[in-house]
Amino acid sequence: MDSSSLDAAASVLAKSKHLVALTGAGISAESGVPTFRGRGGLWEKYKVEELATPQAFRRDPVKVWSWYKWRMEIISKARPNFAHVALAKLEEMGLLKALITQNVDGLHRRAGSKNVIELHGCIWRLRCTSCDYAEYIEEPVREVPPRCPRCRSLLRPGVVWFGEALPERELKRAYQEVSRADAMLVVGTSGVVMPAGMLPLLAKERGAVVVEVNVEESAITPYADYFLRGRATEVMKALFEGICERLGKSP
Ligand code: APR
Ligand code: ZN
């Protein structure tokens, strides 16, 4: 990560009037939550069409639920890392206005972020496949597959599967925030899944400055104004300190 880009990015972000963040699996990687693509990613070992589509769930709900239970067990042991905490602090300082995440692990909320837009849902939310029953759980499901306490139909993970529409309310909020953004901080996403991957470009087209944090180039890098190469915890620490310095606040 070169310090001149970092300094310039910290100055831009410190001066921003409507900073919006977009995060992906890479921000949770150092908390021990596996990413999807790249070395060791989940989609290297598992097949999307067998685990993360409505058809897969209809075909074999036990297999799909066993995989989500396994992911819940990993996530329940994970703790928010400093990158999550830095974003929560930037929100507390009044600088970060909204945090749009593709992650379903809930780590942003556990780090203290309040205005979180979970575009792909949340693994801790279960909803019934027949009635409107829904609940948030705190620990991995016991029964596989879990059943609705009201109508005994199958419960499903409250996440967005491939081929499904994103939750309307969250998507609308995300577009509203992007349309008002004068700066966008993108952390740990490959930028290949739409529509999330397109949000930084939309922001840029409306004049926002795009700052990207990633260990390697992504689909977003070609149009990022600043590409800060490095691990999210390391870069976010330096960026957060640089912003605090410019705002005369103690990190
Ligand atoms: N620090 C910063 N970036 C990191 C780190 C790290 N420690 N580790 C990995 N990365 C980067 C990778 O280089 C990659 O660009 O995080 C990104 C992770 O990309 P993906 O695994 O594709 O995750 P994401 O972009 O969130 O995927 C989007 O795809 O499978 C669906 O619904 C799923 O929400 C997910 C969506
Ligand atoms: Zn039900």
Side-chain angles (χ1 to χ4, degrees), residues 187-210:
V187 186
T189 181
S190 55
V192 297
V193 171
M194 296 302 154
M198 185 177 60
L199 296 177
L201 187 55
L202 283 183
K204 179 145 180 119
E205 280 167 356
R206 291 168 181 271
V209 175
V210 175

Side-chain angles (χ1 to χ4, degrees), residues 128-133 148 150-153 155:
C128 181
T129 50
S130 304
C131 73
D132 59 1
Y133 177 83
C148 174
R150 225 187 269 161
C151 72
R152 298 308 299 157
S153 302
L155 292 178

Side-chain angles (χ1 to χ4, degrees), residues 4 84 97 188:
S4 60
H84 296 104
K97 305 296 183 199

Side-chain angles (χ1 to χ4, degrees), residues 13-208:
L13 297 181
K15 278 197 301 264
S16 65
K17 296 283 170 276
H18 200 96
L19 172 61
V20 175
L22 171 71
T23 66
I27 199 168
S28 298
E30 293 161 85
S31 296
V33 181
T35 59
F36 295 97
R37 296 169 186 84
R39 258 184 321 285
L42 290 173
W43 298 144
E44 262 183 7
K45 296 184 206 90
Y46 300 99
K47 287 200 175 63
V48 169
E49 55 281 3
E50 288 178 7
L51 294 166
T53 65
Q55 296 78 2
F57 186 71
R58 265 196 300 281
R59 200 171 41 244
D60 191 343
V62 172
K63 177 174 188 176
V64 171
W65 260 116
S66 307
W67 190 64
Y68 276 92
K69 177 175 163 70
W70 169 72
R71 287 182 63 200
M72 284 178 168
E73 282 158 356
I74 292 172
I75 293 168
S76 61
K77 295 185 193 85
R79 298 278 164 274
N81 62 55
F82 186 77
H84 296 104
V85 172
L87 290 176
K89 287 175 181 277
L90 288 175
E91 179 188 67
E92 215 174 301
M93 285 158 62
L95 194 69
L96 181 67
K97 305 296 183 199
L99 198 175
I100 303 166
T101 188
Q102 301 168 87
N103 300 343
V104 298
D105 57 31
L107 289 178
H108 284 301
R109 287 188 200 284
R110 280 177 52 196
S113 290
K114 303 273 181 296
N115 189 8
V116 182
I117 301 171
E118 293 174 321
L119 276 188
H120 295 168
C122 181
I123 200 168
W124 298 111
R125 184 167 183 274
L126 309 187
R127 60 186 172 84
C128 181
T129 50
S130 304
C131 73
D132 59 1
Y133 177 83
E135 62 171 314
Y136 271 93
I137 54 174
E138 308 264 315
E139 51 186 50
V141 292
R142 286 199 185 84
E143 185 196 11
V144 167
R147 288 200 171 272
C148 174
R150 225 187 269 161
C151 72
R152 298 308 299 157
S153 302
L154 286 178
L155 292 178
R156 60 163 283 177
V159 300
V160 177
W161 281 324
F162 284 95
E164 290 188 316
L166 271 61
E168 225 170 283
R169 205 176 64 89
E170 278 71 15
L171 193 53
K172 194 159 161 261
R173 278 175 61 205
Y175 283 132
Q176 278 167 349
E177 290 297 344
V178 165
S179 65
R180 297 175 57 193
D182 60 351
M184 194 152 191
L185 175 54
V186 184
V187 186
T189 181
S190 55
V192 297
V193 171
M194 296 302 154
M198 185 177 60
L199 296 177
L201 187 55
L202 283 183
K204 179 145 180 119
E205 280 167 356
R206 291 168 181 271

